[in-house]
Amino acid sequence: MKLSKLCNLRCTYCYEYDELSHKEQMPLDGIEFFFKSVAEYVLSRNHSIPIDLVLHGGEPLLLPPDYLRAVCTLRDKYFGANGIAHTTAVQSNLFQISDKKIDLLEELNISLGISLDVFGEQRIDIAGRVSQEKVLDNLQRLLDRNFPVGGIVVLHALNINKAVNIYEFYNKLGITFRFLPIFSQHNPPERMAHLMLSFEAIVAALQKVAKAQFAAPSRIEVLPLKNYFEAAVRYLAGQDIGVFIPSEHEWVLIVNTNGDTYSHGDPYSAAGYMGNIFQQSLTEIFTSKAYANVTKIRMERGETCRRCQFDRKCNQIDIVEAIPSERFYDEAGVMQCSVAKPMIQFMVDEIQRSPQTQALINLSCYQEEALPLLRM
C-alpha cells in the first residue's frame, strides 16, 4: 500500500523517483472501504486467507503518527474484530527514526523492514549525501531495543562484488534479508544505466553467497536463496507443490496512493491494472474483466514453468510475477528462466555433494515438514 510517495532520500535506482516529492496521502475513507471489502471477502471464504499489509512509499515513517494510528484503527476494526489473521509491516529507509517512532510501531503492532545495501552508495539524501552513516546509527538504536527487523538489499553493478560481504554483515547481526537484483534493461533511465546487471552476473553472485552460507553455520535466512534451496530439496525428494494460479491464490496486490491496483509483474501499467480498491470491492475486482486479463497474462508467463524440469518444485513466482526487466526471451520468442532455474540446479548439485543431506532426503519417511531439517 503506497500510503504516500513522499521521501527524504533520492536513491538512484528508485522506481518511484519522479514522485518522491509528492505529499498526497492515501485517503482514510478509501482505506476503510478497502479494508471493509477485504474483510468481507475473507469472511466469505471462512477465514482461509491471511492478510499481510505492507505500508510502503516513499518513506512511510514520515507520515504523521495520528495518520498511522488511524490506518491501524481501521485495520483492527475490520480484521482484528473479525478474527482475520493479519500482519502489518512498514518498509523504511531508516534515515529518520526516533525512539517515539519506535514506540509507535510497538504500540500499533507494526513490524519493520529496512532498506540497507551496505555497499554501493546509491542511497543518498536530497542533498546528494550518502545516507548510510545515519541509517547504521538508527539500526543500532533498533538493535539496542531488541526491535526485530528484516532487510532488503538492492544488488547492482557497484556492490555485486561485495555480495558475500553483505551477507556476512546481515548474518553477523542475525537479520534475515532479501537480495533484489537490478536486471539489465533495454532503455534504463540515465541515472541508473551504470548500475545494470546481466543475469549471468546475478547468478554468479548468488552462488557465491550460497556457498558462504553452506560453509559455516548461518543465523539467518537469505531470500531468494531459501526458496531455491527448498525447490532443490523437493526435486531431490520427488515432491510437488501446486501450480501457481493467481486467481486461486493471489500473491500480492500493488496499491497506488489513489487506489489503483496492479499485479507485481506489471505495476503502473495497463497490462497489470486490476481496478481501483477505493471504488470497487475486492470481489468486484476479482470477478472483473480487467482482473481476468491480468491473470491471463500471468498464466501465459507461467507456461515457461511447465516446460521446466523443476516445474512444481519451485513457487513459480520468479516467472509468473516477473517484472519486465526480469523477462528474457530466446530467439524463438520463448520466455526463459534465467536466474531461478540455474540457481535451483546449483542447489541440487550442492546438496548432492553432502552425503548427510542426501541420506536424509532419501529416507522413505521424508515429508515436506522435514524441510526445516535441511535449512542452509
Side-chain angles (χ1 to χ4, degrees), residues 234 239-243 305-306 310-314 316:
R234 293 189 192 99
Q239 292 200 342
D240 291 336
I241 58 176
V243 171
C305 299
R306 308 290 82 79
F310 303 120
D311 183 30
R312 298 183 64 193
K313 313 302 181 185
C314 80
Q316 304 143 68

Side-chain angles (χ1 to χ4, degrees), residues 244-255:
F244 175 52
I245 302 175
S247 59
E248 293 182 3
H249 183 74
E250 189 57 68
W251 180 59
V252 65
L253 305 178
I254 307 295
V255 184

Side-chain angles (χ1 to χ4, degrees), residues 121-191:
E121 299 188 340
Q122 299 305 299
R123 302 189 64 78
I124 57 178
D125 67 14
I126 295 174
R129 296 167 299 200
V130 176
S131 66
Q132 182 146 302
E133 185 175 349
K134 287 186 66 174
V135 172
L136 290 176
D137 287 343
N138 288 329
L139 177 57
Q140 187 62 55
R141 183 199 305 268
L142 292 167
L143 295 174
D144 290 344
R145 291 187 52 164
N146 294 314
F147 192 98
V149 298
I152 286 180
V153 173
V154 175
L155 201 61
H156 53 77
L158 299 185
N159 68 4
I160 193 168
N161 290 332
K162 297 285 188 179
V164 173
N165 303 88
I166 293 169
Y167 159 70
E168 291 171 343
F169 171 87
Y170 278 98
N171 191 42
K172 183 177 181 180
L173 296 177
I175 299 175
T176 288
F177 75 101
R178 174 182 291 276
F179 278 117
L180 290 179
I182 280 187
F183 294 83
S184 295
Q185 303 177 27
H186 293 299
N187 295 296
E190 185 177 350
R191 59 185 163 81

